[in-house]
């Protein structure tokens, strides 16, 4: 995520300046008239159909999506557009009770089990951060209906769609202070028994440049028999988004 932020600012800042000049009296009409939408989604990541041992903390389990989608009109002033796109889906999980994912040696290298952080880094530590990151390249496509059929940039709209994603990187990150007062940050990358691909359905409703959205994963987060507790958990994400243009 930190690597993407400078690229995002370089790309978006000139467009934002242009947007403000376009119509400073109406922020919703100040979006550049470009053929496409750049969405920044902010929300929360949850595991559905999970065992109790895999409960997660709500606020630290975040989701950030960065998607560009280009509209294809389905009839002049019909209100309908088909919007394919591409982008990044960056999810985090923070398990309760200071639990973390590590490799399960009994299942092989591409697997995981859930253990106490103290079992990995020693007893008596003070844990400041403990998250698991799942980073995807996503391809969303949605059917969108615009209630304002004369100006698709304005008015209320609703969309139904789906997306497929490929996991390109996963890691755990732990920050803790030991009994001697030494603070450590440990990032460990690995497969963790995760499925390399995901797919699911989502909905998005919005007005102007603001939207609410929700995503439900249709496949399991972990490969069969390779995750903790033989879990068959799936993803559920929801939040709000801003269309930068």
């Amino acid at each position: 995520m930190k690597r993407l932020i400078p690229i995002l600012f370089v790309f978006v800042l000139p467009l934002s300046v242009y947007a403000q000049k376009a119509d400073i009296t109406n922020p919703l009409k100040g979006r550049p008239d470009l053929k496409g939408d750049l969405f920044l989604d902010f929300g929360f990541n949850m595991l559905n159909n999970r065992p109790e041992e895999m409960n997660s903390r709500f606020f630290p389990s975040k989701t950030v999506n960065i998607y560009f989608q280009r509209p294809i009109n389905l009839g002049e002033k019909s209100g309908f557009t088909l919007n394919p796109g591409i982008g990044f889906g960056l999810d985090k999980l923070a398990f309760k009770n200071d639990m973390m994912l590590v490799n399960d040696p009994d299942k092989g290298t591409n697997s995981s089990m859930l253990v106490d952080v103290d079992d990995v880094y020693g007893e008596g530590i003070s844990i400041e951060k403990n998250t698991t990151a799942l980073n995807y390249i996503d391809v969303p496509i949605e059917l969108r209906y615009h209630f304002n059929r004369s100006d698709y940039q304005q008015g209320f709209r609703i969309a139904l769609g789906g997306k497929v994603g490929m996991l390109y990187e996963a890691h755990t990150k732990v920050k803790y202070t030991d009994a001697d007062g030494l603070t450590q940050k440990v990032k460990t990358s690995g497969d963790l028994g995760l499925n390399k691909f995901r797919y699911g359905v989502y909905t998005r409703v919005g007005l102007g440049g603001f939207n609410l959205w929700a995503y439900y994963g249709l496949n399991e987060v972990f490969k069969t028999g390779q995750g903790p507790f033989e879990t068959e958990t799936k993803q559920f994400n929801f939040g709000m988004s801003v269309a930068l243009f």
Side-chain angles (χ1 to χ4, degrees):
M1 183 63 187
K2 291 181 179 178
R3 297 177 182 176
L4 295 176
I5 291 175
I7 298 174
L8 188 62
F9 270 98
V10 169
F11 180 66
V12 170
L13 186 57
L15 295 173
S16 301
V17 173
Y18 173 79
Q20 294 174 11
K21 291 182 179 179
D23 190 345
I24 195 170
T25 62
N26 190 333
L28 295 181
K29 289 187 176 181
R31 299 167 59 197
D33 186 17
L34 300 176
K35 296 298 182 181
D37 296 298
L38 180 64
F39 285 114
L40 288 183
D41 295 346
F42 303 94
F44 301 98
N45 182 33
M46 302 176 65
L47 295 178
N48 192 33
N49 189 32
R50 66 190 182 276
E52 184 177 352
E53 293 89 345
M54 294 187 69
N55 287 344
S56 59
R57 292 177 288 143
F58 181 74
F59 286 104
S61 298
K62 303 182 184 71
T63 291
V64 176
N65 300 320
I66 306 170
Y67 295 151
F68 177 77
Q69 293 178 267
R70 189 172 179 85
I72 301 173
N73 283 329
L74 302 179
E76 184 68 24
K77 293 188 177 181
S78 67
F80 287 99
T81 59
L82 187 67
N83 300 72
I86 192 169
F88 296 96
L90 312 174
D91 299 337
K92 284 188 177 181
L93 284 170
F95 295 105
K96 288 185 175 180
N97 302 318
D98 294 329
M99 304 296 285
M100 67 177 294
L101 292 174
V102 297
N103 174 252
D104 186 344
D106 294 334
K107 298 177 183 176
T109 56
N110 187 8
S111 65
S112 63
M113 59 182 180
L114 206 61
V115 301
D116 196 299
V117 174
D118 287 355
D119 294 339
V120 180
Y121 299 109
E123 297 183 358
I125 62 175
S126 175
I127 301 167
E128 300 177 37
K129 184 176 184 179
N130 174 28
T131 58
T132 300
L134 291 71
N135 299 321
Y136 297 88
I137 295 176
D138 286 333
V139 178
I141 183 169
E142 64 185 52
L143 179 65
R144 195 179 300 173
Y145 180 72
H146 306 260
F147 285 80
N148 186 344
R149 291 186 290 177
S150 61
D151 185 357
Y152 288 0
Q153 297 293 335
Q154 305 301 315
F156 185 75
R157 62 186 173 275
I158 186 170
L160 295 175
K163 68 179 179 182
V164 296
M166 182 183 71
L167 183 74
Y168 69 89
E169 196 268 346
H171 66 262
T172 60
K173 185 178 289 185
V174 177
K175 180 180 179 181
Y176 67 90
T177 302
D178 62 22
D180 297 324
L182 180 63
T183 298
Q184 302 275 7
K185 296 181 182 179
V186 183
K187 177 181 176 181
T188 305
S189 298
D191 291 327
L192 299 174
L194 297 162
N195 266 319
K196 288 295 184 182
F197 295 92
R198 70 173 177 180
Y199 55 89
V201 294
Y202 71 90
T203 184
R204 188 190 301 273
V205 295
L207 178 66
F210 302 95
N211 306 267
L212 298 176
W213 61 272
Y215 165 80
Y216 182 82
L218 297 178
N219 71 318
E220 297 170 7
V221 176
F222 295 90
K223 295 179 180 178
T224 302
Q226 296 301 103
F229 312 111
E230 306 294 327
T231 181
E232 298 180 355
T233 187
K234 300 177 181 180
Q235 278 187 306
F236 175 65
N237 303 337
F238 65 94
M240 64 167 292
S241 66
V242 178
L244 298 181
F245 61 80

